[in-house]
Amino acid sequence: MNMHAPGKFLAVAFVFTASLGGCTTTSMPAQDAAVRLRQQADAWDRAIVRKDVMAIAQNMAESFRQIDSQGNLSNKAEFLTGITSDKLVIQPYEPEDVEIRFYGNLALVTGTTHLHGTYDGKPFKTHYRYTDTYVNESGAWQVVNVQTTEIRE
């Protein structure tokens, strides 16, 4: 695992990340789906902060991939190992500027987040823009892809 910088696994934490605060859809079924997806994503955020491997994994498809701000690619197992590392401590966070767009059984969740905590005892503070791609199969939403871009301040 390449942990030269915490960004690789930290960026996903808001992915998930993502307390889905907004919805661009207008139909009632889509609004209902956005509320349910928000609740699910909020639970994923809390699971990441407390390092609940089972709860984190349940939100992820087996084919999950993450592309971090440095272009590194992680699969589900690598992501779970990194995000639950004893070296990593993530403080609770709130995604901002969240937008949810539905395309049939696919949902794109975009937003920004300020993430802070410690990695190997050293404090970090990051600001990211993200896109989480969720797919609904058999009535269950799962995140299949997360991509993050660091926002330089």
Side-chain angles (χ1 to χ4, degrees):
M1 169 176 28
N2 178 3
M3 288 298 289
H4 59 80
K8 180 174 183 178
F9 297 100
L10 299 177
V12 176
F14 53 77
V15 242
F16 316 31
T17 248
S19 301
L20 308 176
C23 177
T24 62
T25 59
T26 57
S27 70
M28 189 55 72
Q31 289 175 352
D32 291 345
V35 168
R36 288 190 304 276
L37 192 53
R38 177 185 177 162
Q39 291 168 344
Q40 180 176 332
D42 286 347
W44 199 34
D45 288 340
R46 291 187 302 272
I48 287 169
V49 169
R50 69 176 186 274
K51 299 184 183 189
D52 182 338
V53 176
M54 293 297 286
I56 298 167
Q58 285 177 337
N59 191 57
M60 302 165 70
E62 288 305 313
S63 62
F64 173 87
R65 297 291 184 270
Q66 179 213 7
I67 302 169
D68 72 13
S69 288
Q70 291 77 44
N72 298 305
L73 182 65
S74 301
N75 63 28
K76 183 176 181 175
E78 293 165 335
F79 177 80
L80 287 169
T81 298
I83 204 74
T84 61
S85 168
D86 290 339
K87 293 181 177 186
L88 178 62
V89 176
I90 299 172
Q91 298 299 316
Y93 54 92
E94 292 290 329
E96 301 168 350
D97 305 319
V98 178
E99 179 179 49
I100 306 169
R101 293 174 288 156
F102 291 96
Y103 301 94
N105 69 337
L106 183 122
L108 295 178
V109 180
T110 59
T112 63
T113 194
H114 293 271
L115 200 63
H116 64 280
T118 60
Y119 183 77
D120 205 14
K122 297 177 184 146
F124 67 84
K125 188 175 189 177
T126 60
H127 188 197
Y128 288 95
R129 182 170 312 280
Y130 64 90
T131 299
D132 295 348
T133 304
Y134 279 81
V135 173
N136 188 326
E137 293 181 354
S138 303
W141 289 99
Q142 287 192 303
V143 65
V144 294
N145 196 78
V146 169
Q147 185 153 2
T148 60
T149 303
E150 184 174 0
I151 299 171
R152 304 229 183 237
E153 297 184 349

